[in-house]
Amino acid sequence: MSERILHSPLALAGAMLVSALLGAGAFAGLLSWMPGLAGPAIRGYLLEHPEVLPEAMDKLRAREDARYQQAQQGAQAAVPKHLAALQKPYAGAWAGNPNGDVTVVAFMDYACGYCRASLAGIEELIAKDPGVRVVYREFPVLGPESVVAARLALAAAEQGKFRAFHDALYAAGGPNAENIAAAADKAGLDKALATKASQSKAVEAEIVANHKLGEALAMTGTPSWVVGGKLLYGARDYAGLAAAVAEARAGK
């Protein structure tokens, strides 16, 4: 791309929009035979026809929406292949009925506010529906402290104290060192054992496996869910989770 386009914000914006409309290959071809004119020509055209800007943005947004929908459809189609792995908890990282007829898999990060907002819905679902099992998958994506917290949560699961640690850390706020230590104390963890376990190959393998599952299922953030065999993204309250569970039961 010519320096003139790069040094003009308006021309650069125009170039990006024209590229979106024509396709990168066609636009690159255009620049290859008129590099000296492309910048001024684009700027002049946009000044004379500013109405093309919202039109181009709408087309670009529609194209991105279509790609997102296609990715979601592909991810949903991949769920059956991974369902057994998704529904198998790590040690004690689960809640509800161990023999429940519907499993809710929750991918969460301790630094995620939307995950925290979904906790009340999970608790209400467990309290009101005795046929539900919840499997928690540690999915740290929001920084190093999230990874530390996820590792210790899995170590807590090995001691049968996952929920105690999980609930205490979310209640404490973000996963900084002070809050993680306080949650470990409140959960009654054997700290020496938990620290050692958090660095184990088993814990490392679990986190790696969860990220691979997240990649396979097009998860770009937390929380993400698999309810029965249906993939869901984003925060869910009790009504949303209950509806997904009911749909899963109806489909059996």
Side-chain angles (χ1 to χ4, degrees):
M1 190 172 288
S2 70
E3 290 185 1
R4 189 171 301 174
I5 292 178
L6 291 173
H7 292 160
S8 170
L10 180 57
L12 179 57
M16 293 172 65
L17 291 170
V18 172
S19 178
L21 289 170
L22 296 179
F27 186 59
L30 175 67
L31 291 181
S32 69
W33 63 269
M34 53 180 297
L37 297 176
I42 291 171
R43 184 177 186 277
Y45 183 84
L46 291 176
L47 289 174
E48 291 180 16
H49 304 279
E51 69 276 4
V52 305
L53 293 173
E55 293 174 11
M57 290 303 298
D58 287 344
K59 185 169 183 177
L60 182 60
R61 188 178 297 110
R63 181 178 297 171
E64 291 304 310
D65 286 346
R67 288 175 180 168
Y68 179 67
Q69 291 296 328
Q70 186 177 15
Q72 284 190 316
Q73 291 170 4
Q76 180 59 56
V79 169
K81 175 183 175 182
H82 301 287
L83 195 56
L86 286 162
Q87 294 185 345
K88 182 180 180 180
Y90 182 90
W94 62 274
N97 183 348
N99 300 310
D101 65 321
V102 175
T103 297
V104 175
V105 182
F107 284 74
M108 308 185 90
D109 183 311
Y110 289 103
C112 170
Y114 294 107
C115 296
R116 184 178 292 106
S118 299
L119 295 178
I122 296 174
E123 289 300 314
E124 188 172 354
L125 181 69
I126 292 170
K128 291 183 175 180
D129 191 332
V132 165
R133 180 180 68 147
V134 177
V135 171
Y136 299 92
R137 307 226 73 91
E138 295 299 324
F139 195 58
V141 292
L142 296 176
E145 291 179 328
S146 292
V147 176
V148 173
R151 285 179 172 275
L152 202 60
L154 294 172
E158 293 183 9
Q159 295 184 29
K161 297 179 178 180
F162 175 84
R163 284 292 306 284
F165 177 82
H166 172 90
D167 293 346
L169 183 52
Y170 272 119
N176 57 42
E178 182 180 354
N179 289 344
I180 292 171
D185 285 335
K186 189 170 183 179
L189 296 187
D190 180 325
K191 286 189 176 180
L193 187 60
T195 299
K196 182 178 179 180
S198 71
Q199 300 302 315
S200 69
K201 291 182 179 180
V203 163
E204 173 68 18
E206 172 69 7
I207 291 176
V208 169
N210 287 345
H211 279 108
K212 286 182 177 179
L213 286 169
E215 182 178 355
L217 302 181
M219 294 178 182
T220 58
T222 52
S224 293
W225 318 79
V226 177
V227 183
K230 185 174 181 180
L231 182 60
L232 302 169
Y233 304 105
R236 288 291 188 279
D237 59 8
Y238 166 72
L241 291 173
V245 169
E247 183 179 346
R249 285 201 176 105
K252 287 188 174 182

